[in-house]
Amino acid sequence: MAQTLTRPVLSVAVPTPLRRCLDYLPPSSLSIEAVSGLLPGMRIRVPLGPRRVVGILVAIGDHSEVEHEKMRAAEEILDETPLLPHTLVNLIGWAARYYHHPVGEAWQAALPQLLRVGRAPDSAGTLLWRLSRDGLGLPSRALPRAPKQAKLIDLLRHQGQLDRESIAAADISTAVMRQLEQKGLIEKFTGNPHHAVPSPAIDSPKLNEGQQAALLSITSVMPGYQCHLLEGITGSGKTEVYLRLIEQTLNVGGQVLVLIPEIGLTPQTLDRFRHRFGAAVVTYNSEMSDRERLSAWNSMRTGSASVVIGTRSGVWLPMAKPGLIIVDEEHDISYKQQDGFRYHARDIAIKRAQLESVPVVLGSATPSLETLSNAVSGRFHHHALPVRAGGAALPDVRTMDVRKAELESGLSGDLLEQINIELSQNRQVLLFINRRGYAPSLLCHDCGWIASCHACDARLTVHARDRHLRCHQCEFSTPLPGHCSQCGSRQLLAMGVGTQRTEETLRKLVPNVPVLRVDRDSTARRGSMENILRTVNAGEPCILIGTQMLAKGHHFANVSLVGVLDADHGLFSADLRGSERMAQLLVQVSGRAGRTNIPGQVIIQTHYPEHPMLQSLLQQGYPEFARSLLAERQLVEMPPYSHMAIIRAESPSSRTAEETLRNCRSQCETNLSMVNMLGPLPSTLSRRAGHFRFFLMLRSTDRAPLHQAVDAVIAILTAKGATRNCRWSVDIDPMESG
Ligand code: ADP
Ligand code: ZN
Ligand code: ZN
């Protein structure tokens, strides 16, 4: 029964899977005045069962459904002022509702780890380096045989102090730092970095007509919310437009949030931002330590930094003076969190821009169909940059028919010949393969047995270097077997092509040229990607082999040939977004060729050169191709012309998983005529890590009935006993339809 209380009721988001806030009384030690000073967005330590947890105060009310006597008191208020401005408090609340996710967990995802455990926002400081007393006394040119060490000494002499990122941005490795530290010439300390005032853009190129028009149009409505799509082909100068927009925003005292895909931030890009805006730029990504992240978070919150370049979770960073939000490569699926709180950072960015009344710019050479439809309908402003800036031409793209061709580790003789020609002209070559590892499967030549994961519906990938079989879906790994586990034969064949295999073959075939592999395995160690990029950027002939990691954002000046080893698997994808993805990947990877004044070419190996999708992409280009995909989606009322939610269930028992979803469907279907339901069906990967996986798809042309349906399903799933032995999740606007 609701009742009025004299003491206010604190509604707190606690870190649990609960789908609502919990009510608490203010800490008993708090005076009346202190209680009246409480504001949403402050952290608060509260009891939760036997534990004490850090929650967020989201509302202060005067009544509760819980009886007064049963309500527990909060223990301690952790912040004197709200941790986040009210727009962000609202944004997180909105996102939890929109994605139907427990509000406490949404808050967890939005805050850096150290804040979640109760640390003060300014407690991290930053690890900085400076010259030691000996270092200061060092005569100039004292280290003639260690140019990198000398460079760092020089830098520190001029700047006084540097954080690790700035040192890395100056192309100086941690090894060099360690050497100087051991010599006692430099030392670490914790402090606050000077986030210097941006220097004027001295060496920015004169914008071309398209860039100028986009810039004018975007700035003409600043401040105030508007969403812009900057659709510019690879190398058309989108980044240059961002830099100008940032410059103008900083000039009027605003801050800028720049979102980039998971692995899109190359040292080159960071360099470019730092070069323009100096130490006013901070970064925020998963490679940083908790301390570094809190420090970046706090410098944006206090306004001591002006620009942050962050990956997905950067969208939650507070800004003291929000001025502009940029989402680079907005089509990239790494913006969508694929587990837990399944939010899409681009969509959150747009909502945030609305709440903060600032413009948001989405940039891409290959916009997502969602964004494109908004541009076509006029909801977003559309700016096109159809030519490459700085005079570079688009590469010549052609298919290479590999039917009947002899393939060696995926390479046709013709492609190999072209590779040799490019190398002999001192150019670089980039080869794209969609599989890491050595070979996607291991097959018995005598009986046909295939090595599969015991826990997943997946084949094991051969990793030759450490002689292991690995599952790419779970953690399972086992030494390479010597014989078939079915018939005992020793005739085991590695089938198919992964990055390692092509690397091995090319090392043999082209022995005197470096072969560099870029995939999750080769770049697992911190700094390894930087090393590879350094070699490429030195410009000497080399062959780069890699997965999608290579397709994103890189600017390789001397790459003249891009080879796509196998376009076929993308042509027959069952996923709703299969064609869109394939087209984006092909265009992005092609965009790495011929980025300067040397002409580039792209060769796509395929068994289906006349495939209509491939043909239409190559002949019409992405903008046309994407628009015809849009027309198709409209015809069948698929997203973005309808809205989708997927409910997934998984269980060690296949029946349980399926029944759970069947139940949901039968219990709520009759009331939901506006919602189209499909399933339960087995997921594309029908078993993972020992769990059978099923999904139920809900679709509607209107958002409201869809969200009602999801609420109804959640009510069924959260009822007592409904989901014994079964895990489930809700995915709104799913990126994978299965
Ligand atoms: P995108 O972000 O679209 O891939 P960039 O902004 O990185 O494109 O530009 C590609 C290359 O062209 C860069 O080397 C950049 O310095 C150069 N560039 C960009 N705009 C201009 C311009 N207006 N004039 C000359 N060069 C330019
Ligand atoms: Zn066998
Ligand atoms: Zn597995």
Side-chain angles (χ1 to χ4, degrees):
M1 202 185 68
Q3 50 178 275
T4 312
L5 298 168
T6 42
R7 278 175 87 69
V9 174
L10 309 182
S11 178
V12 179
V14 288
T16 69
L18 275 180
R19 285 173 187 274
R20 55 187 171 82
C21 290
L22 293 184
D23 289 344
Y24 290 90
L25 294 171
S28 45
S29 57
L30 230 54
S31 69
I32 305 273
E33 294 90 79
V35 170
S36 66
L38 290 179
L39 288 168
M42 292 178 169
R43 287 172 305 164
I44 183 165
R45 205 184 294 281
V46 294
L48 183 71
R51 296 185 295 147
R52 298 162 72 224
V53 298
V54 176
I56 310 285
L57 180 57
V58 293
I60 299 135
D62 53 13
H63 67 275
S64 170
E65 298 300 313
V66 185
E67 284 169 43
H68 192 180
E69 298 74 45
K70 290 196 180 152
M71 213 183 305
R72 300 174 80 174
E75 289 179 1
E76 187 189 358
I77 306 291
L78 297 173
D79 300 306
E80 279 168 18
T81 55
L83 204 51
L84 297 180
H86 72 275
T87 42
L88 272 185
V89 176
N90 293 343
L91 183 71
I92 295 168
W94 173 84
R97 283 191 301 280
Y98 182 82
Y99 291 104
H100 297 262
H101 196 73
V103 61
E105 287 186 358
W107 271 93
Q108 295 281 301
L111 292 179
Q113 166 65 16
L114 291 178
L115 292 176
R116 285 183 239 154
V117 297
R119 292 275 291 273
D122 58 359
S123 62
T126 302
L127 210 49
L128 298 165
W129 271 262
R130 64 184 169 207
L131 293 179
S132 66
R133 188 182 290 254
D134 286 353
L136 282 167
L138 206 66
S140 54
R141 305 218 190 89
L143 299 162
R145 258 168 297 160
K148 289 278 167 159
Q149 294 183 18
K151 183 175 172 191
L152 180 53
I153 296 276
D154 237 32
L155 271 175
L156 287 172
R157 190 167 282 143
H158 285 115
Q159 312 256 348
Q161 58 179 49
L162 288 169
D163 61 8
R164 209 192 51 203
E165 286 195 331
S166 318
I167 296 176
D171 207 13
I172 293 166
S173 68
T174 35
V176 171
M177 291 155 71
R178 213 170 310 122
Q179 287 152 6
L180 284 175
E181 205 181 354
Q182 275 159 8
K183 290 183 186 168
L185 296 174
I186 66 173
E187 61 191 22
K188 290 200 260 286
F189 71 105
T190 306
N192 287 315
H194 318 304
H195 291 298
V197 191
S199 48
I202 6 164
D203 55 354
S204 51
K206 190 173 175 314
L207 297 187
N208 62 34
E209 230 170 275
Q211 289 171 315
Q212 192 67 41
L215 180 70
L216 273 180
S217 159
I218 297 168
T219 50
S220 68
V221 291
M222 283 164 101
Y225 166 77
Q226 260 192 350
C227 185
H228 300 267
L229 166 61
L230 187 56
E231 183 179 15
I233 61 169
T234 53
S236 60
K238 295 183 290 298
T239 310
E240 200 54 51
V241 174
Y242 304 154
L243 292 169
R244 294 298 177 93
L245 284 168
I246 294 171
E247 189 184 322
Q248 298 206 8
T249 311
L250 300 190
N251 283 343
V252 296
Q255 287 172 294
V256 184
L257 169 65
V258 183
L259 293 180
I260 45 141
E262 204 63 67
I263 42 180
L265 183 64
T266 64
Q268 278 166 305
T269 320
L270 183 58
D271 246 13
R272 217 164 141 192
F273 278 83
R274 283 258 163 88
H275 193 73
R276 293 280 173 92
F277 308 117
V281 181
V282 293
T283 61
Y284 191 80
N285 60 56
S286 54
E287 292 215 330
M288 292 160 66
S289 70
D290 288 341
R291 275 172 57 112
E292 290 169 324
R293 259 187 291 192
L294 179 55
S295 160
W297 185 94
N298 197 47
S299 60
M300 285 305 282
R301 179 189 188 237
T302 56
S304 75
S306 307
V307 182
V308 64
I309 307 179
T311 48
R312 184 176 59 225
S313 61
V315 76
W316 307 110
L317 286 169
M319 287 192 267
K321 289 189 185 142
L324 172 69
I325 301 177
I326 293 169
V327 184
D328 191 26
E329 310 288 0
E330 66 83 31
H331 65 278
D332 198 284
I333 53 162
S334 72
Y335 284 126
K336 177 84 197 264
Q337 173 123 345
Q338 301 283 15
D339 54 12
F341 184 23
R342 291 172 167 77
Y343 65 92
H344 199 305
R346 175 202 59 218
D347 297 342
I348 299 285
I350 296 169
K351 182 72 188 176
R352 177 171 182 177
Q354 279 170 3
L355 293 176
E356 313 238 45
S357 290
V358 299
V360 53
V361 178
L362 314 179
S364 176
T366 54
S368 64
L369 296 193
E370 279 75 11
T371 296
L372 211 52
S373 78
N374 279 319
V376 170
S377 76
R379 267 192 69 204
F380 295 175
H381 293 246
H382 187 208
H383 316 278
L385 299 179
V387 291
R388 278 192 161 175
L394 267 186
D396 168 41
V397 185
R398 62 192 159 101
T399 55
M400 183 174 276
D401 186 352
V402 291
R403 278 174 296 194
K404 296 189 181 149
E406 191 123 350
L407 297 181
E408 186 158 10
S409 293
L411 296 159
S412 66
D414 289 349
L415 178 56
L416 196 60
E417 195 180 310
Q418 199 56 48
I419 293 174
N420 278 315
I421 294 176
E422 301 298 322
L423 294 173
S424 70
Q425 295 177 352
N426 284 327
R427 308 253 162 89
Q428 298 173 331
V429 172
L430 184 156
L431 299 175
F432 172 77
I433 304 172
N434 56 19
R435 294 294 292 249
R436 67 190 169 94
Y438 185 81
S441 47
L442 186 70
L443 173 84
C444 172
H445 189 53
D446 289 344
C447 77
W449 168 81
I450 289 177
S452 326
C453 178
H454 66 285
C456 304
D457 172 30
R459 294 175 177 185
L460 294 173
T461 302
V462 182
H463 284 245
R465 188 152 303 173
D466 58 354
R467 304 193 53 77
H468 268 70
L469 286 174
R470 290 227 161 77
C471 177
H472 286 185
Q473 305 298 338
C474 72
E475 305 278 278
F476 180 73
S477 118
T478 181
L480 209 57
H483 49 79
C484 170
S485 76
Q486 190 166 282
C487 76
S489 160
R490 297 195 162 270
Q491 299 289 314
L492 295 180
L493 308 174
M495 297 292 291
V497 177
T499 46
Q500 289 183 1
R501 184 174 215 162
T502 310
E503 177 194 14
E504 181 189 276
T505 301
L506 280 168
R507 278 182 202 256
K508 272 186 225 135
L509 295 177
V510 195
N512 39 13
V513 170
V515 179
L516 309 163
R517 176 164 58 89
V518 177
D519 56 29
R520 253 205 349 244
D521 303 314
S522 74
T523 56
R525 257 184 317 122
R526 199 166 170 158
S528 41
M529 184 74 171
E530 279 81 350
N531 281 334
I532 294 171
L533 293 177
R534 206 166 293 141
T535 312
V536 180
N537 290 329
E540 293 300 308
C542 68
I543 302 175
L544 268 160
I545 299 178
T547 55
Q548 1 251 12
M549 288 182 84
L550 266 187
K552 295 185 184 179
H554 302 287
H555 180 74
F556 302 126
N558 204 19
V559 167
S560 58
L561 170 66
V562 166
V564 177
L565 261 58
D566 174 19
D568 295 347
H569 102 129
L571 295 175
F572 300 99
S573 163
D575 198 278
L576 165 68
R577 289 182 165 75
S579 330
E580 181 186 348
R581 285 286 143 63
M582 183 210 65
Q584 288 166 344
L585 189 62
L586 284 180
V587 172
Q588 293 289 345
V589 83
S590 302
R592 303 309 120 209
R595 291 186 53 103
T596 46
N597 49 10
I598 51 169
Q601 59 170 321
V602 180
I603 295 177
I604 300 172
Q605 295 193 148
T606 172
H607 289 87
Y608 307 93
E610 61 287 307
H611 193 289
M613 214 151 70
L614 207 49
Q615 280 308 322
S616 111
L617 178 63
L618 296 191
Q619 280 163 17
Q620 307 175 329
Y622 185 86
E624 282 295 308
F625 177 82
R627 279 157 183 84
S628 61
L629 277 187
L630 258 187
E632 272 175 40
R633 298 247 190 115
Q634 185 161 27
L635 215 59
V636 292
E637 285 196 345
M638 278 297 185
Y641 297 97
S642 63
H643 309 289
M644 209 185 251
I646 286 188
I647 318 291
R648 297 193 180 85
E650 58 175 59
S651 166
S653 147
S654 161
R655 234 194 74 204
T656 305
E658 192 176 4
E659 282 296 308
T660 303
L661 293 178
R662 198 184 307 285
N663 245 342
C664 289
R665 180 169 180 169
S666 62
Q667 281 188 49
C668 66
E669 194 167 28
T670 45
N671 313 334
L672 299 166
S673 55
M674 301 272 293
V675 179
N676 188 305
M677 290 205 188
L678 175 72
L681 291 171
S683 301
T684 317
L685 182 67
S686 64
R687 195 164 68 105
R688 187 172 66 192
H691 285 71
F692 291 89
R693 311 166 77 229
F694 285 82
F695 73 95
L696 185 65
M697 187 191 284
L698 314 183
R699 192 160 55 84
S700 176
T701 47
D702 291 307
R703 282 215 179 264
L706 180 75
H707 285 271
Q708 275 166 20
V710 173
D711 278 334
V713 169
I714 289 175
I716 295 165
L717 289 169
T718 45
K720 250 204 171 74
T723 55
R724 209 163 290 136
N725 206 16
C726 186
R727 284 200 298 247
W728 56 274
S729 62
V730 174
D731 193 353
I732 305 290
D733 306 331
M735 287 293 115
E736 280 163 21
S737 41

